Amino acid sequence: QSPRSAASQLRVTDISPPNTIMRPQSLHGPSPVTTFGPKACMLQNPHTVMHIQDPASQRLTWNKPPKSVLVIKKIRDASLLQPFKELCMFLTEMKDLIVYVEKKVLEDPAISDDENFGAITKKFCTFRDDLDDISNRVDFIICLGGDGTLLYASSLFQESVPPVMAFHLGSLGFLTPFKFDTYQSQVTQIIEGNAAIVLRSRLKVRVLKENCEKKARVDDNCIILTNGDVESSRRAVQYQVLNEVVVDRGPSSYLSNVDLFLDGHLITTVQGDGVIVSTPTGSTAYAVAAGASMIHPNVPAIMITPICPHSLSFRPIVVPAGVELKIMLSREARNTAWVSFDGRKRQEICHGDSITITTSCFPVPSICFRDPVNDWFESLAQCLHWNVRKKQNYLSSEDEEF
C-alpha cells in the first residue's frame, strides 16, 4: 500500500459528549482561510506534513492585480511627512494606484498647506475610521510609523484584513520589518506578488455589560450587538485584538480579583494586579515584560499571563488556539476591574459583566521582509537584544594547566 493511500485513510473523529463547547473551525496558523481583502490570497502549498505548513513556504499571491492601497501614517509626527509624500506620489503617479488616506491625516497643516502636494491629494480617497467602511475597497495596506500603526490598521478591519506592509519609522519596530530607503523596489515586489507573509492571529473579544448605559462609555471601531431585551439593557461589544486583552485593577489600591473560565469551567481566580490574555504576536509585548515566554506568530496558541500575582506558583500558561476564555469579576472582589484592548478602548468592568475571548477567524496577513522565521529572530535580536551578553573567552592549553 502506498504512503498516499495509507494517509488518505486517516480521519479524526469527533467523540465529544453532547452539550460540549465546539471549537471554531478556523485556527491559525496555518489557516484554512487564505483570502485577505478583495484580491489577496495565500499561495497554496501542496507539500504539507500532518496539515502543518512550513512557515517559510507561506507566500502571497494575487487573484487580480491590486488597484488600491491604504496608507496609514502616524499622526502628529513631523518626521513622517516627507516619506509619506514620497510614497503617495510614487503610488499614484508611478504605480497608478488608488490611494486611501484617513481624513485627519490630510487635515495636518503641513500637508494641507503644501501647494505642490495639493494636486496629489485631490486624487486620494479619504475616510473616517468611525464612520466609513473600507473593508471591501482596499487591496493592501502600507503602514508608516511604529508597531502602533500596525495595531491601528488591524482595528480598522473587523473581518478579513488585506495584506499589511509595515515600514520601520517608529521607536521599536518589532512588527515593522521594512526600511524606507528602498521602498520603491520593495513595494513593486509586493504588487507583483513576490513576498512571504506571516498570519498573525487575532483574538475575538466580546464584552457583555449589564445596564451598559450607566457605565463607562464604549469607544468607536467596534461591533455593537443587542439581544433585544429592553429591561435588562444587556449589550455586547465585539473587538478584534492583535496583541492582547489586559484586565487590571485600575486606580484601586486593592488587588484585582477576577475569575478565569476555560470552556465554561473555572480554572483559577486571579488575585494580583491583573491578567494578560495575548496572541503569539502579543507575547513579545506586555506579556514578555510580565514574565511570559515569547511565541512565534505561526504557533496556534493563546497565552495567559498574570500581572504581579499574589502567588509564587501562578506562572504564565499557553492554551490551544480556539478555546473559549471567560473573565468575570469575582463575587468577593472589593473593587471593579478595568479592561483594554491593544492598549485602547479602556473601560470599567463591574459585577455581572463578562469578557469572552477566543481565536478570531480573521488573522492579519503581515508581509515579511525575508520570511516569517528569519524576520522574527531578527526582531528579537535587534529590538529586544535577546540573549545578548559578553562572550566567554576560550581556554588555551596553558590556561587548562591551572
Side-chain angles (χ1 to χ4, degrees):
Q1 189 179 34
S2 66
R4 180 182 297 273
S5 60
S8 64
Q9 296 177 6
L10 296 176
R11 296 289 186 270
V12 178
T13 304
D14 184 9
I15 56 174
S16 302
N19 301 323
T20 57
I21 297 176
M22 298 300 294
R23 306 275 190 232
Q25 294 299 312
S26 299
L27 305 180
H28 308 290
S31 166
V33 179
T34 56
T35 58
F36 314 106
K39 295 179 181 176
C41 60
M42 188 171 69
L43 186 64
Q44 294 296 305
N45 176 27
H47 304 292
T48 58
V49 179
M50 294 178 62
H51 302 286
I52 299 175
Q53 191 174 25
D54 177 8
S57 69
Q58 294 177 181
R59 307 290 301 180
L60 174 69
T61 188
W62 301 100
N63 292 324
K64 296 179 182 179
K67 294 297 182 183
S68 60
V69 57
L70 167 62
V71 179
I72 296 180
K73 170 189 166 296
K74 186 178 180 180
I75 306 296
R76 296 184 296 274
D77 191 337
S79 65
L80 297 180
L81 290 174
Q82 190 58 34
F84 173 74
K85 294 177 181 180
E86 289 183 17
L87 175 65
C88 291
M89 293 179 67
F90 171 74
L91 295 172
T92 54
E93 296 181 351
M94 302 296 293
K95 295 302 179 181
D96 196 26
L97 292 173
I98 301 172
V99 176
Y100 282 81
V101 178
E102 205 168 359
K103 190 174 182 179
K104 60 185 178 182
V105 172
L106 298 184
E107 292 173 352
D108 187 338
I111 295 178
S112 59
D113 297 342
D114 189 339
E115 297 180 357
N116 297 328
F117 192 61
I120 299 296
T121 59
K122 293 179 180 179
K123 300 179 182 180
F124 292 167
C125 293
T126 60
F127 72 98
R128 289 175 291 183
D129 61 347
D130 55 341
L131 294 177
D132 303 321
D133 182 13
I134 57 171
S135 56
N136 292 321
R137 304 179 191 176
V138 175
D139 293 334
F140 70 106
I141 304 169
I142 297 179
C143 294
L144 301 177
D147 294 345
T149 58
L150 181 58
L151 296 174
Y152 179 69
S154 170
S155 71
L156 294 176
F157 298 85
Q158 293 300 307
E159 294 187 353
S160 180
V161 185
V164 183
M165 182 182 191
F167 284 95
H168 175 32
L169 294 168
S171 54
L172 184 61
F174 194 92
L175 305 178
T176 54
F178 289 93
K179 295 182 179 180
F180 196 75
D181 299 340
T182 57
Y183 74 93
Q184 293 190 6
S185 61
Q186 293 170 344
V187 172
T188 299
Q189 288 188 1
I190 303 307
I191 295 174
E192 294 174 352
N194 182 21
I197 59 173
V198 57
L199 300 182
R200 299 188 178 275
S201 65
R202 296 195 291 179
L203 298 175
K204 182 175 72 173
V205 186
R206 187 171 183 265
V207 181
L208 182 62
K209 288 195 170 186
E210 296 275 2
N211 300 317
C212 57
E213 295 88 353
K214 300 178 182 179
K215 297 185 181 179
R217 174 183 172 271
V218 178
D219 291 338
D220 300 323
N221 288 337
C222 60
I223 299 175
I224 298 178
L225 310 171
T226 59
N227 63 357
D229 190 348
V230 180
E231 294 183 358
S232 62
S233 299
R234 292 167 62 88
R235 184 171 65 171
V237 186
Q238 187 168 297
Y239 303 97
Q240 296 283 338
V241 176
L242 179 58
N243 259 0
E244 75 275 301
V245 178
V246 177
V247 179
D248 59 62
R249 64 182 182 176
S252 173
S253 59
Y254 293 112
L255 295 176
S256 68
N257 197 333
V258 295
D259 293 332
L260 179 61
F261 299 83
L262 192 150
D263 285 346
H265 301 283
L266 177 65
I267 57 173
T268 192
T269 297
V270 179
Q271 296 184 92
D273 281 356
V275 64
I276 306 168
V277 179
S278 61
T279 64
T281 296
S283 69
T284 52
Y286 191 1
V288 75
S293 296
M294 295 178 287
I295 306 175
H296 189 275
N298 274 107
V299 178
I302 298 175
M303 173 164 282
I304 303 170
T305 307
I307 307 171
C308 297
H310 203 240
S311 169
L312 294 177
S313 60
F314 193 177
R315 314 310 302 164
I317 60 172
V318 178
V319 296
V323 301
E324 183 180 88
L325 299 173
K326 188 174 183 179
I327 300 175
M328 297 185 68
L329 202 63
S330 299
R331 291 182 179 181
E332 300 80 12
R334 296 182 177 183
N335 57 291
T336 62
W338 289 76
V339 61
S340 61
F341 313 93
D342 283 343
R344 305 172 68 234
K345 306 178 181 68
R346 186 169 172 81
Q347 54 197 267
E348 190 175 12
I349 298 299
C350 303
H351 284 96
D353 300 344
S354 64
I355 306 167
T356 305
I357 306 169
T358 190
T359 305
S360 170
C361 294
F362 303 102
V364 174
S366 181
I367 300 174
C368 303
F369 180 70
R370 291 189 179 89
D371 61 71
V373 175
N374 281 302
D375 279 16
W376 192 67
F377 277 99
E378 184 73 16
S379 293
L380 290 182
Q382 296 296 325
C383 300
L384 299 184
H385 301 291
W386 180 62
N387 197 29
V388 174
R389 69 178 295 274
K390 187 177 180 180
K391 290 188 176 180
Q392 216 174 27
N393 294 329
Y394 72 96
L395 290 176
S396 64
S397 57
E398 296 179 357
D399 295 330
E400 290 178 354
E401 295 178 1
F402 297 97

